[in-house]
Amino acid sequence: ELELNRNIKYCIFRISDYASGKGIKINFNEKGKFTVKADPSFLNTILENLFSNAVKYSNESTVIDVYLTGSENEIICSIKDYGIGMNEEQRSRVFDRFYRSEEARSTDAGGHGIGLAIVKRLADLQNIRVNYFSEPIKGTTVTLTFDKKKTI
């Protein structure tokens, strides 16, 4: 078992220079201390990809809100940015390897379109559910749900 709060803080720390270079502030709202059964390396890869995308596709001088909450049966980590977002067609392909939306390709963000495919695969290996909500111009929220009874 590992303390999820600590892994999230570590990944926020690792992305902080990149975020501050764009004037982006990351708010971490934790509603308690949560432990999960997960591979620490896989979990950090998941979180770092999600934070990197949140910063990459956010407008300058905005915020990224991170929420960590839990109930009797599950722990939920949500990462919300206020960036370019995606439409329905783009959302349907978000976990496809090498997929990058037209808007993503037209930015200076770079990337190869493999990050979210990796996130999905590593999450599936650990029984972590990944949900992706996005609207053009309004931003994106990615939610990781750890079922207390099913994660590794």
Side-chain angles (χ1 to χ4, degrees), residues 32-43:
K33 298 280 185 218
F34 300 98
T35 58
V36 295
K37 292 179 183 175
D39 179 280
S41 179
F42 285 5
L43 182 59

Side-chain angles (χ1 to χ4, degrees), residues 96-109:
D96 293 353
R97 284 180 294 180
F98 305 111
Y99 175 72
R100 294 189 70 223
S101 69
E102 185 64 38
E103 291 82 359
R105 288 193 305 269
S106 66
T107 68
D108 294 331

Side-chain angles (χ1 to χ4, degrees), residues 138-149:
K138 294 185 179 181
T140 299
T141 301
V142 180
T143 302
L144 302 174
T145 304
F146 302 81
D147 186 324
K148 289 184 179 178
K149 295 176 181 135

